[in-house]
Amino acid sequence: MILTSGLQKVFCAGLDITEFYNPNPDRLSKFWTTLQDTWLSLYTTSFPTVSVINGHSPAGGCLFAMSCDYRVMVGPNYTIGLNETKLGIVAPKWFQDTMVAVIGQRKAEVSLTTGKMYTTDEALQIGLIDESLPDANSALKKGTQFLNNFQKISPWAYKMTKDISRQPTVQWLIDNKQKDLDFVIKYMQSPTVQKNLELYLQSLKK
Ligand SMILES: CCCCC/C=C\C/C=C\C/C=C/C(=O)SCCNC(=O)CCNC(=O)[C@H](O)C(C)(C)COP(=O)(O)OP(=O)(O)OC[C@H]1O[C@@H](n2cnc3c(N)ncnc32)[C@H](O)[C@@H]1OP(=O)(O)O
């Protein structure tokens, strides 16, 4: 499966920040549970996945890209990263662990604490993406070539290998789903977080 965007310059703008601003707890609960379930499904697919990152990919966008098996990004003008600290919020543990699995503890810590958005070249350098291509068509071709590798791999061997590799992060969320949800609902009602989100949303307006 190839995960890509139909938009011109945005792969995924991340989670809808308006869902966190002045949240209705019931609605936020459904929103967050859907996100948890979507991520669990994507991170544990029984088939190979590639993200063809054909535009900017902040926060939740970066999470979805990182959750695929391989990342091909169109360069050089787009950016990717977990920028939550720039919003004055914290990337949840499973977001952070997904990044650690891709780029390693040290690089992830720097990336997460600074909320850095990496250009395509920078992302390639730190291993956040696997390949950089100049346009969307060649990126799609590269992504397809990667998937073709699996024609010669046993689906069972593929799935078992991926499960072993991703199990700790997946299991943590399965075991802590309700705790994670309760925390997010409480956290998003904090006046400090609300102020930070208000300022960030204002900064996005043109
Ligand atoms: C200890 C444990 C801690 C637990 C912590 C608990 C919770 C943490 C929870 C969540 C983690 C958060 C994850 C996220 O994904 S947050 C979202 C992060 N996304 C961003 O920062 C993206 C911001 N947007 C941009 O940078 C740009 O819009 C863009 C994607 C680069 C595209 O640029 P472009 O110029 O094409 O678009 P515009 O800027 O014109 O935007 C159009 C329009 O959309 C609004 N908008 C953009 N992104 C978002 C968004 N993610 N959510 C809501 N709204 C968005 C923007 O304001 C514009 O609105 P307008 O009304 O002016 O049209």
Side-chain angles (χ1 to χ4, degrees), residues 17-113:
I17 302 164
T18 60
E19 295 289 345
F20 299 131
Y21 186 58
N22 288 333
N24 167 309
D26 285 342
R27 189 181 159 98
L28 180 55
S29 170
K30 282 189 194 120
F31 178 85
W32 196 258
T33 305
T34 303
L35 175 69
Q36 291 174 326
D37 291 339
T38 304
W39 177 79
L40 282 170
S41 299
L42 178 63
Y43 203 53
T44 60
T45 55
S46 57
F47 46 83
T49 55
V50 176
S51 48
V52 171
I53 308 159
N54 55 345
H56 297 292
S57 190
C62 177
L63 175 74
F64 286 129
M66 292 189 301
S67 302
C68 292
D69 301 347
Y70 200 73
R71 281 156 288 289
V72 179
M73 186 164 169
V74 177
N77 294 324
Y78 300 134
T79 56
I80 182 166
L82 289 183
N83 64 337
E84 278 82 350
T85 55
K86 292 256 171 70
L87 283 71
I89 61 175
V90 178
K93 178 173 164 55
W94 44 289
F95 285 44
Q96 298 200 17
D97 287 348
T98 304
M99 180 171 253
V100 168
V102 174
I103 61 174
Q105 176 71 42
R106 175 65 191 146
K107 284 182 193 142
E109 190 178 300
V110 173
S111 175
L112 284 155
T113 50

Side-chain angles (χ1 to χ4, degrees), residues 23 184-197:
V184 167
I185 290 174
K186 197 168 162 211
Y187 179 82
M188 287 304 173
Q189 295 185 64
S190 135
T192 310
V193 168
Q194 285 299 307
K195 189 70 205 167
N196 291 343
L197 291 176

Side-chain angles (χ1 to χ4, degrees), residues 9 13-17 59-60 83-84 90 188 200 204-206:
K9 56 173 195 164
L15 308 184
D16 186 345
I17 302 164
N83 64 337
E84 278 82 350
V90 178
M188 287 304 173
Y200 189 76
L204 290 179
K205 303 277 172 222
K206 292 186 171 143

